[in-house]
Amino acid sequence: MTDQERIEIQKLIQQEVVPATGCTEPGAVALCVAKTCETLGCEPEKITLRLSKNVFKNAMGVGIPGTGMIGLPIAVAMAVTAGRSERSLEILTISPEEVIAAKQWLANHSSCICIGVEENCDKLYIECCCEAAGKKAKAVIAKRHTNFIYISKDDSVILDQKTGVDIEADTNAACDTPKLSVARIYEYATTAPISELQFINDTVVLNRAAADEGVKGMGLHTGQILMGHANGDIVHQVVARTVAASDARMEGCTKPIYSNSGSGNQGICCTLPVYEFGKRNGNSDEEITRALILSHLMSIYIKRGIGRLSALCGLVNASMGVSAGLVFLQGGNIEQIGYALKNMINTLAGMVCDGAKPSCALKMATGVYSAFVSSRLALEDRVVDETDGLSEKDVDRSVSNLGRLGHDGMDQTDNMILDIMTHKECTCRND
């Protein structure tokens, strides 16, 4: 692998593994609202949001940091009263006093916010129009959570990067990245100078801090309960610590975490099982660092084929990254990593995304437990047969098959999930 190829891969990881506060879909919506308000130049009298169904469903039931509330209206209010677009996906990090001001604004202006679903658009699409005193501004985010493709004020177009290209359809098309494969990811993770990989350890600091909050009892208390029954078992301890961070994040913890491919839960999942197991397994710091790179980069690679948002739960690709890291930490080779990935594909391929909410911790537990099972089988050279389901002899073709399922095959599933979620009889947790 050339020096330039290593630089490109490092840039890819650093672009996709970034800090975020709260769920990234409400965060991206708040980012779009803040940019539109800044463009308008004054407080809006009317805010109209048009969202892809994937963004809409992921913002319906998740806690908004520091508010004790769920859903988009409070996130919009925070963007109007205290949002700064330069904060990117940490835009929902605001002071307690600013939270109070946002709640007061929302109480007086809730009728000013109109939120709807845009039918014919990218799977990640956020369009915001703000109006006040005869002026109008518009901003559009698409394809990635922080990617503005259009900004205008009145009749003046400030930015227009609209294209018909679906950059998520090809695993290697986005962001001018080098071609990736399981073999190239393994080569990078295991041969790059360790000094070039140390940046990935930043993920551990933030994501462990979120886990520390979660084990106190947040969300569904999944991590707290599992830890209480771990009885010294390493696997149960690792899973408990991991899902505790999701408990905290989905409940609205104000601590930022490191995300992966635009998802905080994916970032948590790629980080904590690998780190926590490595420490308990007696691995060296260098081995843990390389395993973290392997986990994060493998997840990024798999997610490219699935697409940024999908009806296929993002914890599928994240848990697959974990399985690769676990095999590496236990002395496995590249062939056995391929076995683990194929075992995971034939285990989790059907896990759907039904929005971001506290029970995502349960999906994370399922994914991480599966990673332990799949990696253990792989270390014993046991792998699903190439005639089974989505699996093929070649691991990259197997990954591609999973991508096709998530990107193209589950569109109708997305529609059904959204219809169910918007017609439920339930009591809102904001009441």
Side-chain angles (χ1 to χ4, degrees), residues 235-293:
V235 173
H236 293 316
Q237 288 178 341
V238 170
V239 174
R241 287 283 298 170
T242 302
V243 301
S246 180
D247 281 329
R249 179 173 173 268
M250 294 290 95
E251 183 66 15
C253 177
T254 57
K255 290 185 178 295
I257 52 84
Y258 264 91
S259 61
N260 182 300
S261 302
S263 165
N265 276 343
Q266 290 173 53
I268 289 168
C269 188
C270 289
T271 303
L272 291 182
V274 173
Y275 175 82
E276 299 288 349
F277 178 79
K279 282 297 184 183
R280 289 166 172 78
N281 194 50
N283 292 98
S284 68
D285 290 344
E286 177 173 339
E287 289 171 331
I288 293 173
T289 298
R290 293 189 183 280
L292 286 169
I293 288 287

Side-chain angles (χ1 to χ4, degrees), residues 19-300:
T21 303
C23 180
T24 49
E25 276 70 59
V29 172
L31 174 62
C32 194
V33 172
K35 175 66 79 173
T36 312
C37 290
E38 292 165 0
T39 304
L40 185 65
C42 62
E43 182 178 304
E45 299 169 356
K46 181 180 180 181
I47 301 171
T48 303
L49 286 164
R50 302 291 298 177
L51 312 174
S52 63
K53 54 182 174 284
N54 301 83
V55 172
F56 187 84
K57 75 178 182 182
N58 276 357
M60 286 178 62
V62 69
I64 305 302
T67 67
M69 301 173 68
I70 65 170
L72 282 175
I74 184 60
V76 170
M78 293 165 73
V80 171
T81 59
R84 289 179 290 153
S85 63
E86 67 268 20
R87 292 189 61 81
S88 192
L89 289 179
E90 292 183 89
I91 193 169
L92 294 178
T93 300
I94 65 176
S95 70
E97 294 76 19
E98 289 171 326
V99 170
I100 292 172
K103 289 183 176 182
Q104 291 173 341
W105 186 92
L106 181 60
N108 296 323
H109 299 86
S110 59
S111 62
C112 300
I113 304 172
C114 178
I115 304 173
V117 173
E118 185 72 16
E119 292 294 340
N120 299 309
C121 62
D122 295 305
K123 292 185 178 182
L124 196 165
Y125 183 86
I126 303 164
E127 176 185 303
C128 178
C129 292
C130 290
E131 301 175 50
K135 298 187 295 183
K136 180 165 65 173
K138 179 178 178 179
V140 178
I141 287 175
K143 303 183 187 300
R144 299 191 306 277
H145 289 76
T146 59
N147 183 47
F148 285 95
I149 64 168
Y150 185 84
I151 302 172
S152 67
K153 182 176 181 179
D154 296 326
D155 296 326
S156 175
V157 176
I158 300 169
L159 171 71
D160 190 354
Q161 295 181 348
K162 294 179 180 179
T163 69
V165 178
D166 184 352
I167 64 171
E168 299 290 0
D170 183 343
T171 56
N172 305 305
C175 310
D176 299 321
T177 60
K179 293 189 75 132
L180 294 178
S181 66
V182 172
R184 286 177 65 79
I185 291 168
Y186 180 82
E187 179 184 3
Y188 175 76
T190 57
T191 65
I194 191 63
S195 60
E196 295 180 9
L197 307 180
Q198 295 291 349
F199 68 90
I200 202 65
N201 292 312
D202 291 343
T203 64
V204 174
V205 177
L206 292 191
N207 293 355
R208 288 197 84 209
D212 289 340
E213 291 298 307
V215 293
K216 298 174 185 177
M218 296 185 73
L220 281 180
H221 294 224
T222 316
Q224 183 189 55
I225 292 170
L226 291 179
M227 186 62 76
H229 293 272
N231 295 322
D233 182 86
I234 290 179
V235 173
H236 293 316
Q237 288 178 341
V238 170
V239 174
R241 287 283 298 170
T242 302
V243 301
S246 180
D247 281 329
R249 179 173 173 268
M250 294 290 95
E251 183 66 15
C253 177
T254 57
K255 290 185 178 295
I257 52 84
Y258 264 91
S259 61
N260 182 300
S261 302
S263 165
N265 276 343
Q266 290 173 53
I268 289 168
C269 188
C270 289
T271 303
L272 291 182
V274 173
Y275 175 82
E276 299 288 349
F277 178 79
K279 282 297 184 183
R280 289 166 172 78
N281 194 50
N283 292 98
S284 68
D285 290 344
E286 177 173 339
E287 289 171 331
I288 293 173
T289 298
R290 293 189 183 280
L292 286 169
I293 288 287
L294 186 60
S295 176
H296 276 280
L297 186 55
M298 197 69 74
S299 180
I300 291 168

